[in-house]
Every structure is written in C-alpha cells, then in structure tokens.
Amino acid sequence: MPRGPWAPDAPLDAELLVQRCHDSVSVAHLAGQAADLFAGLPRGKAARLTETLEALLASRHRTATEVATALGIHAQTARYRLRQLDLILGDRLDDPQFRLRIQLSLRADRLRRGFPGQSSQ
C-alpha cells in the first residue's frame, strides 16, 4: 500500500506531481501547454486570461464573484474575462482531463520560472 502523497486517501498535490518531472526540459514542456492556449494574444491580455483561468480552476463553484475575489478585481471584470475564456476554450473547460492538464501546466510554469537559468517568458 503506498504511503505519503501517493496513498489513495491522500489529497492530490499538484505541486508534488509537477516536481516529479525530474528535469527542466520536462517541466518546460508541461508549462508550455497552458501558454499555448493564448499564444496568438497580446502578452498583457494573455497574462490576464492565464491569471483568470488559474483562479477559475482553483475556485470551488466556478463563479465570477469567487474568481473576482481571488484576483482582487471587480466582478464585472471577472465576468468579462470568463466570457473570453469561454470563447477561446469552449467546452474544454468542462473536460476534467483538460482542466487537470492545464492546472498542472500552470503549476509547471511557476516551477519552471524558479529553475536556475530559466527565463520568465
């Protein structure tokens, strides 16, 4: 029977899963998956949508109010960004595997930025 974070009743720790990618190339590849979602957008808009997507994925009920509170923005701004995410991602946001893959990708991006010699782009 596995112990620690791999035990069936242990909470899933996405940070630990990402850290199990033992090299910076694997982490960079995983990190790029979320960045690719907004590749055609201006950098500032892509950053705001990435931030909003991460807050949405971390939220319990996926409401604009909850996302707005997490980001410290007005609820109407959150609604606007969520509509943009819906236009870009569509039904994929309802797919649990897509959501997990993107959550891991976002965490990998944070981890990648912490690796020595890696750029923050």
Side-chain angles (χ1 to χ4, degrees), residues 89-103:
L89 303 175
D91 292 343
R92 291 186 289 176
L93 280 175
D94 295 327
D95 178 1
Q97 288 191 1
F98 175 81
R99 291 170 57 86
L100 178 60
R101 186 173 63 250
I102 294 306
Q103 280 182 304

Side-chain angles (χ1 to χ4, degrees), residues 38 44-53 55-56 64 67-68 71-89 93:
F38 309 117
K45 184 172 187 170
R48 287 186 299 275
L49 288 178
T50 299
E51 172 186 66
T52 305
L53 177 59
L56 173 67
V67 170
L71 296 175
I73 60 177
H74 193 277
Q76 188 58 33
T77 302
R79 283 185 201 91
Y80 172 76
R81 291 184 190 178
L82 292 173
R83 283 192 301 272
Q84 289 182 314
L85 287 174
D86 192 46
L87 287 172
I88 293 168
L89 303 175
L93 280 175

Side-chain angles (χ1 to χ4, degrees), residues 54-65:
E54 192 165 15
L56 173 67
L57 294 172
S59 69
R60 183 173 176 99
H61 301 293
R62 296 174 62 186
T63 67
T65 302

Side-chain angles (χ1 to χ4, degrees), residues 21-42:
C21 292
H22 293 288
D23 59 77
S24 61
V25 174
S26 296
V27 173
H29 176 72
L30 181 59
Q33 292 181 18
D36 290 346
L37 294 173
F38 309 117
L41 299 176

